[in-house]
Amino acid sequence: MHADDLTFLRHAADLSRRGMETGAGGPFGAVLVLDGQVVGEGWNRVTSSNDPTAHAEVVAIRDACARLHRFDLRGAVLYASCEPCPMCLAASLWARVDRIIYANTRDEAAAIGFDDALLYAQVALPPSARIVPCQHAPLPEARAVFQAWTDKADRIPY
């Protein structure tokens, strides 16, 4: 851990408390730091925004990307008040953050009613075996769009 890690982690915990106490959502906060500066902040806003994806980490990633005018957060560290759920972990990977540091564990979250075990288990299953079955239905029109992307000279890879 770096010297400032605990400072930024405390900031994430403060955001989690602020969001919880104002009724924004569950007790989760997150901060994105780049070059020693906070570039994104978020707290859980699921219930206040009626958005199941408005987890603290996703909100912080969206905030950082908007502030920096880029979708790639290489070089950034995500500080979260709790271990990221599978969705937030995936968002962090897509954003290309360098490190994630978290305070509470997924087991501690489960103990207060935020259990992600089902999500972790579902991701590992074949699509057809999930509780929301996923069926592959190949479609030439969809494949053609993938080919058009491959051929697109000005595409922006990510």
Side-chain angles (χ1 to χ4, degrees):
M1 296 244 283
H2 296 101
D4 292 333
D5 286 341
L6 290 178
T7 299
F8 293 123
L9 197 55
R10 282 188 186 98
H11 184 61
D14 289 344
L15 290 172
S16 72
R17 180 174 294 281
R18 186 181 325 159
M20 177 192 68
E21 289 179 347
T22 61
F28 304 97
V31 178
L32 272 154
V33 175
L34 182 65
D35 298 326
Q37 300 296 315
V38 173
V39 295
E41 297 180 329
W43 50 90
N44 185 287
R45 297 180 185 180
V46 170
T47 57
S48 61
S49 67
N50 294 313
D51 179 355
T53 69
H55 289 200
E57 298 90 336
V58 172
V59 172
I61 289 168
R62 290 173 180 164
D63 184 39
C65 290
R67 286 189 203 191
L68 298 172
H69 305 286
R70 63 188 227 209
F71 57 84
D72 185 317
L73 298 177
R74 288 177 216 271
V77 179
L78 173 65
Y79 296 90
S81 65
C82 188
E83 181 177 358
C85 74
M87 177 184 69
C88 294
L89 177 60
S92 301
L93 294 171
W94 275 112
R96 311 283 196 280
V97 301
D98 281 10
R99 291 189 303 141
I100 299 172
I101 299 174
Y102 60 90
N104 297 317
T105 67
R106 70 172 90 165
D107 293 331
E108 291 169 316
I112 63 164
F114 296 93
D115 192 349
D116 295 329
L118 175 69
L119 300 176
Y120 283 102
Q122 288 294 302
V123 169
L125 292 174
S128 62
R130 296 178 183 150
I131 57 175
V132 175
C134 301
Q135 181 179 358
H136 180 218
L139 187 66
E141 295 89 346
R143 183 66 187 118
V145 176
F146 272 22
Q147 186 59 52
W149 173 258
T150 301
D151 297 340
K152 186 173 170 43
D154 64 343
R155 72 177 181 267
I156 299 171
Y158 59 96

